[in-house]
Amino acid sequence: MIVLDTGATRALAGGHKTLNLLAANMAHTPGDLLRIPALCLMQAESEDAGAGDRVRAFSSVVVDDLTTVSSVAVGTMIRDGYGGPDTCHALYCALPRAEFTGMSILLTTREKAYPPGVVTVDIDSPGMLGLH
C-alpha cells in the first residue's frame, strides 16, 4: 500500500511530475491505489484551496476515512507525541493492518517526522520510481 502524507498530497495536487506519473500508472493497474489519510487531505486543503478536489480527480486515489477505531489510535499517537493530527493519521495508515498485506510505503516531504521502522520515501529523492 502506498500512503501519501500532507506534503505529498499537496505536491500531487500541485502537479509534482513524479507523483503525477505514479498516479497515472497506478490507474492502469487493477488494485493499485494511492491512499490519502482523511486528515492529510483536510490539512492539504486548508493550506491550498482546491487541493482536495485536484487529488480526488485521480482514479487511483482513495481517501482513508477516520473511523471510530482509527480516531482513537490517532488520538493516542498525538497524545504520545508522535506529531500533529495529519502526521499521526498518515502514520496510522502506514502501520500494518489486518485488511492490508505487505509493507506500506509512506510518501512524504518530511521523512524525519516519522519514527524509525516506518518505510518512508521522500518524493524528491533520486530513487523515487527507480530514477537515479
Side-chain angles (χ1 to χ4, degrees):
M1 177 171 59
I2 299 176
V3 178
L4 279 68
D5 74 356
T6 301
T9 299
R10 287 195 62 201
L12 178 61
H16 188 277
K17 184 178 177 179
T18 307
L19 287 177
N20 275 256
L21 180 61
L22 177 63
N25 287 341
M26 291 184 87
H28 299 294
T29 308
D32 282 346
L33 298 169
L34 296 173
R35 191 165 293 277
I36 300 176
L39 295 180
C40 293
L41 184 63
M42 177 212 56
Q43 186 64 36
E45 179 64 30
S46 74
E47 296 170 0
D48 177 12
D53 290 334
R54 292 192 303 274
V55 297
R56 290 183 314 116
F58 288 98
S59 62
S60 59
V61 168
V62 295
V63 176
D64 197 280
D65 294 330
L66 190 65
T67 65
T68 303
V69 171
S70 62
S71 65
V72 171
V74 170
T76 300
M77 289 177 189
I78 295 167
R79 185 187 66 234
D80 291 347
Y82 285 97
D86 60 327
T87 300
C88 289
H89 196 195
L91 177 58
Y92 173 81
C93 289
L95 293 175
R97 293 193 262 174
E99 62 267 29
F100 300 112
T101 58
M103 185 62 114
S104 296
I105 298 170
L106 179 57
L107 300 181
T108 183
T109 55
R110 303 176 307 127
E111 285 184 291
K112 300 215 183 300
Y114 300 97
V118 177
V119 179
T120 58
V121 175
D122 188 301
I123 62 170
D124 293 316
S125 70
M128 180 75 178
L129 285 184
L131 304 174
H132 300 285

